Amino acid sequence: MYKISAIVCTYQHMDFLPKSLQALTEQSLHAQDYEIIIINNNSVDGTEEYCLNFIDTHLDHHITYYKETNQGLSYARNTGIKLSWGHIVCFIDDDAISDRNLLKEYITFFGSHPLASAAAGRVYPIFETKRPQWMLSFFLDLTSSLDLGDKMKLFPNKKYPVGANIAIKRNYLNLNDLFDVNLGKKGDNTETGEVKDFFGRIQQSGSLIYYLPTAIVQHYVSAQQLTDTFLKQSATALGHSERLRTKNLSPKVYRRRIITEIFLFTGSLFLCLWYTIRFQPQIGLKLLKCHWYICRALLGF
């Protein structure tokens, strides 16, 4: 077995996938200590040809390529887990660049924290264009960014990792269900929820999830992701995913999630007024619209 498996699930991302894979071959860890697994989830943009050629030109690394024909990120993640041979399983997004010490950091962490079941590191955004002034930390969450500070710690209650940079110990995976295939991105949609659902189950089981600030990736944020259209799609997808996830848990959890979102929407009304008074109405309106889209989808509209 390898010390760690780095899994990259990809769909229609040939604009960034080469950089993501290259960064994984340039890790400070010895090539014999880890494997790279590429799961192609029905891409038709030349991904397969590129990946096969990439393997041929990196024979000093252990790289596996597989095409998962069931459409959905959760299907791809689960297939990657089943194909992996690492004591630790690490997921990196296909539009993320790993720090050269990423895999070593996870190995060191789990070696010194035997009770930990999972960990997640920092995810810094790389903007294709300049970061807009209205991009608050709340909106960064919609771009899969994560920064909880400089200190290693347990994940706070009701705070979850993002899928761009996560690591899970294999002995936990052998004992529990994998990612829910009813949740998560499928093809071109922007659904979410599979990571939150998975790590929610880890927390409910009493297992420990740590935030590891020294495990770092940079995550690409395209200009298209900064548009009003994408914001609406992302917020609506978040609301719909939360509706599916919480209803699957229990009616009580679903009702509680609705109350929380109504409270957040109400708060965004006051924030909208506050930003308007400060001559920053664009920020307030985007925040208000975002929570409105989430609320509508959460309620099934």
Side-chain angles (χ1 to χ4, degrees), residues 78-233:
N78 292 343
T79 296
I81 291 170
K82 292 170 185 176
L83 293 175
S84 67
W85 289 92
H87 291 290
I88 302 163
V89 173
C90 175
F91 284 101
I92 308 297
D93 273 6
D94 59 356
D95 55 355
I97 300 176
S98 309
D99 180 83
R100 71 184 306 270
N101 292 317
L102 176 75
L103 301 183
K104 182 180 285 186
E105 289 290 340
Y106 277 129
I107 291 172
T108 301
F109 165 76
F110 282 108
S112 60
H113 294 78
L115 297 181
S117 294
R122 270 181 168 145
V123 182
Y124 288 131
I126 308 174
F127 290 94
E128 181 182 12
T129 56
K130 184 179 179 181
R131 176 177 173 173
Q133 292 184 341
W134 56 262
M135 180 62 76
L136 305 176
S137 58
F138 169 78
F139 296 115
L140 280 177
D141 290 345
L142 296 178
T143 66
S144 296
S145 300
L146 179 70
D147 188 350
L148 300 182
D150 297 328
K151 293 184 179 181
M152 181 184 68
K153 56 188 174 184
L154 286 169
F155 260 84
N157 187 34
K158 296 184 180 180
K159 185 72 176 178
Y160 302 94
V162 295
N165 180 14
I166 53 178
I168 310 149
K169 210 154 54 172
R170 175 167 296 281
N171 61 359
Y172 180 86
L173 293 169
N174 290 341
L175 296 174
N176 294 270
D177 293 331
L178 302 182
F179 292 92
D180 187 341
V181 297
N182 296 307
L183 298 172
K185 183 176 180 180
K186 291 181 174 65
D188 293 321
N189 75 27
T190 54
E191 297 290 320
T192 59
E194 85 286 357
V195 172
K196 187 173 183 178
D197 171 75
F198 179 82
F199 283 97
R201 283 184 271 131
I202 293 181
Q203 287 183 335
Q204 288 175 359
S205 71
S207 299
L208 304 179
I209 308 170
Y210 280 83
Y211 165 70
L212 187 59
T214 53
I216 300 169
V217 306
Q218 293 180 307
H219 191 256
Y220 182 66
V221 181
S222 69
Q224 189 264 337
Q225 288 176 277
L226 303 178
T227 63
D228 287 340
T229 298
F230 186 85
L231 179 65
K232 181 178 180 179
Q233 290 174 345

Side-chain angles (χ1 to χ4, degrees), residues 236 239-244 247 254 258 292-301:
T236 300
H240 182 254
S241 299
E242 280 295 275
R243 175 180 170 86
L244 290 176
K247 290 188 77 171
Y254 174 56
I258 291 175
W292 171 248
Y293 297 141
I294 294 172
C295 273
R296 280 179 55 85
L298 187 61
L299 293 169
F301 295 109

